[in-house]
Amino acid sequence: MAKSKTRYVCQGCGASYVKWMGKCENCSEWNTLVEQVVEDEKAVKSALKKAEKSGRKLEVESVNEIRADRYGERYGTGFSDLDVVLGGGILPGAVMLLAGQPGIGKSTLLLQLASKVAEKQAVLYVSGEESASQVKIRAERLKGKHSEDLSFAGSTSANDIAATVASGDYGFVIVDSIQTLALDEITSAPGTVSQVSGAGNLLIRAAKATGTAVVIVGHVTKEGTLAGPKTLEHMVDVVLQFEGDRYGGFKTVRAVKNRFGSTNEVAIFEMGSSGLKLVENPSEALLRERQNTDGSVIMATMDGTRPLLVEIQALVNPTSFGYPKRTASGFDLNRLNLLVAVLEKRTKLKLSEKDIYVNVVGGLKLSDSAADLAVCMAIASASAGRRLDDKIVVFGEVGLGGEIRSVYASDRRIAEAKKLGFTAAIAPYTVKDKFVLPVKDMRDALVKYMNR
């Protein structure tokens, strides 16, 4: 009997090598090469020839005659904001991938979601990581009303789970998680590229054939990206990212990919003793404990299409050791270094011998360019020991010349500030509104409004 050939395949990018190496030359990741059996080339060619002969002409239909609701209408998740993120609720036949850090609350969210959906649909919760007793303990802690239509199964067999989905007995199936599943036909270990791709493909085909909505849980890497092959993200209909601080603060669910809706929406949750709860007014919750001191600035940001008011805090201290330290929580560190350089060059602030710390309150992560002006004013406030008026919000992008540039959705930012009782907004001069205190550059903003 001929000896099976093996190759070493990178679990990050899929590149293959004849021998094992500590570092993948394609994606530069360490310790990601796993040994896998290579199928015989003659057998592959033979299979391709058979496939060519066994193919048949497809049955086609006019696009105008296709029913968009052939599997039924959307149904709710029990969380109104999560319905908006999904594009209007759960669509029958859709396959969704939920990814997040360990311990952030993925299983809690899905068990709450399953309990709500089970009031209208037969739901199956499949876990390859937890036993039935563990899931029962979590269900009791959440104190939810669990329907008789909510069922549980413990399995790591992708074949068995796909067969259960294909039976059509359940309208909604949760699989936790894809990295624990294994196909009988593949000899490699669970979690490898071939196992994840094969199991995902099998589940997707079963879901599409029966109109069953499926949620698949995915693990993430140390960098926060989805573990496994990128092809899994391409195959599913929706990719949801569960983000936030696992020990406190707000947690957000946003759609990284959505074939049925926008990718600009976000649902904000807060973890309590009875599970996750939607935050109805996140701006008010974020500002509830604010103290107006130097280094504190309120910023009007946009999280998807939702306006939010968040507090930006800065602390500036003399450097005790060789090089000044720059630290940012919830804000890009490279962007912070750039803004510090702009402040030094375009204003009279001397920051080259100062340690600078920036924090976004509530555990949020800002990617909005409109945060530039708020971060700069917070640093200037902390450095000079002066406070900004506590009824003023700030937003605007800062250019390398120190100029303040316009940002999108200014009207919604202003409306949110007015709703929460603020009296003015420091913003680019291009925004035409009586509520706005217009500024053209950083020096203008600091001289006019940093005066207390």
Side-chain angles (χ1 to χ4, degrees):
M1 183 176 178
K3 184 179 178 182
S4 298
K5 293 182 180 180
T6 60
R7 290 184 72 86
Y8 294 88
V9 181
C10 175
Q11 303 304 292
C13 64
S16 63
Y17 302 89
V18 177
K19 62 179 182 179
W20 186 87
M21 295 184 291
K23 181 180 179 181
C24 175
E25 296 179 350
N26 187 49
C27 64
S28 300
E29 292 291 330
W30 288 90
N31 300 321
T32 57
L33 300 187
V34 175
E35 186 178 14
Q36 293 185 18
V37 177
V38 179
E39 294 183 359
D40 183 48
E41 188 176 348
K42 292 182 179 178
V44 172
K45 289 182 178 179
S46 176
L48 287 173
K49 288 182 179 179
K50 290 181 180 178
E52 290 176 359
K53 295 178 180 179
S54 61
R56 58 184 177 83
K57 185 178 179 181
L58 297 174
E59 296 180 4
V60 300
E61 55 184 324
S62 171
V63 174
N64 295 329
E65 296 175 356
I66 298 174
R67 289 182 54 194
D69 60 344
R70 94 170 33 172
Y71 295 127
E73 298 181 353
R74 292 177 183 263
Y75 48 89
T77 61
F79 299 104
S80 56
D81 289 356
L82 187 56
D83 290 340
V84 174
V85 171
L86 293 173
I90 299 172
L91 185 70
V95 179
M96 295 155 278
L97 180 64
L98 176 66
Q101 295 286 349
I104 198 171
K106 300 186 297 296
S107 299
T108 299
L109 174 64
L110 291 176
L111 191 55
Q112 289 182 260
L113 190 151
S115 299
K116 294 288 185 181
V117 174
E119 296 174 1
K120 297 181 180 180
Q121 296 277 342
V123 177
L124 175 63
Y125 189 108
V126 182
S127 178
E129 301 178 348
E130 297 175 303
S131 65
S133 59
Q134 289 175 304
V135 175
K136 177 65 176 178
I137 291 171
R138 179 184 290 112
E140 291 176 347
R141 178 174 58 82
L142 297 178
K143 298 177 183 178
K145 294 181 179 179
H146 302 290
S147 169
E148 293 296 327
D149 287 329
L150 175 56
S151 305
F152 173 83
S155 176
T156 58
S157 172
N159 303 72
D160 295 346
I161 298 172
T164 307
V165 173
S167 68
D169 295 338
Y170 300 95
F172 186 61
V173 176
I174 296 170
V175 181
D176 186 8
S177 65
I178 189 69
Q179 274 79 14
T180 63
L181 302 189
L183 279 169
D184 297 339
E185 294 78 12
I186 301 177
T187 57
S188 58
T192 58
V193 170
S194 53
Q195 287 285 15
V196 171
S197 298
N201 188 35
L202 198 62
L203 290 172
I204 291 168
R205 283 190 293 171
K208 299 297 181 184
T210 57
T212 304
V214 176
V215 175
I216 301 172
V217 178
H219 295 172
V220 295
T221 62
K222 290 183 291 185
E223 291 76 23
T225 58
L226 190 65
K230 203 71 177 177
T231 52
L232 181 62
E233 296 179 58
H234 289 289
M235 289 191 295
V236 298
D237 300 310
V238 180
V239 178
L240 299 174
Q241 194 76 29
F242 202 177
E243 302 170 336
D245 186 356
R246 59 182 294 186
Y247 298 111
F250 291 152
K251 306 176 191 300
T252 61
V253 177
R254 64 179 75 248
V256 180
K257 170 189 176 181
N258 193 350
R259 287 175 178 163
F260 313 122
S262 171
T263 55
N264 294 324
E265 303 294 345
V266 62
I268 300 177
F269 294 91
E270 189 172 21
M271 181 68 82
S273 58
S274 58
L276 290 162
K277 294 182 180 178
L278 276 176
V279 180
E280 300 295 339
N281 192 339
S283 296
E284 184 179 5
L286 286 167
L287 303 180
R288 189 179 298 146
E289 300 174 350
R290 188 218 176 189
Q291 296 180 353
N292 189 21
T293 59
D294 59 86
S296 174
V297 172
I298 303 301
M299 180 220 168
T301 185
M302 296 293 296
D303 202 338
T305 59
R306 169 183 291 189
L308 285 178
L309 298 188
V310 298
E311 181 183 0
I312 307 292
Q313 294 178 329
L315 184 64
V316 178
N317 282 333
T319 301
S320 300
F321 303 100
Y323 293 101
K325 189 174 183 179
R326 309 281 188 255
T327 303
S329 176
F331 189 75
D332 183 58
L333 183 59
N334 292 326
R335 188 68 181 173
L336 173 61
N337 289 327
L338 184 148
L339 294 176
V340 171
V342 172
L343 278 172
E344 280 204 287
K345 182 69 176 178
R346 306 303 177 188
T347 69
K348 294 182 179 181
L349 288 174
K350 302 300 181 183
L351 302 172
S352 59
E353 297 181 355
K354 300 289 180 69
D355 292 336
I356 299 175
Y357 307 88
V358 173
N359 176 49
V360 181
V361 174
L364 297 179
K365 294 181 180 179
L366 296 181
S367 57
D368 187 1
S369 60
D372 290 354
L373 181 56
V375 170
C376 286
M377 294 198 74
I379 293 172
S381 171
S383 177
R386 296 184 177 183
R387 292 186 299 166
L388 188 67
D389 191 286
D390 59 356
K391 290 296 181 180
I392 292 180
V393 298
V394 179
F395 63 89
E397 182 181 355
V398 176
L400 293 182
E403 74 278 11
I404 310 301
R405 296 178 173 272
S406 59
V407 294
Y408 76 100
S410 298
D411 53 341
R412 277 179 279 177
R413 300 173 197 260
I414 293 171
E416 182 72 7
K418 289 179 179 177
K419 187 171 69 174
L420 292 179
F422 287 84
T423 58
I426 299 176
Y429 72 97
T430 53
V431 181
K432 306 301 180 183
D433 193 296
K434 294 180 180 179
F435 187 79
V436 170
L437 302 174
V439 290
K440 287 189 175 183
D441 53 41
M442 274 305 309
R443 184 187 293 273
D444 187 26
L446 298 184
V447 170
K448 284 184 178 179
Y449 305 111
M450 201 66 70
N451 53 14
R452 292 181 62 188

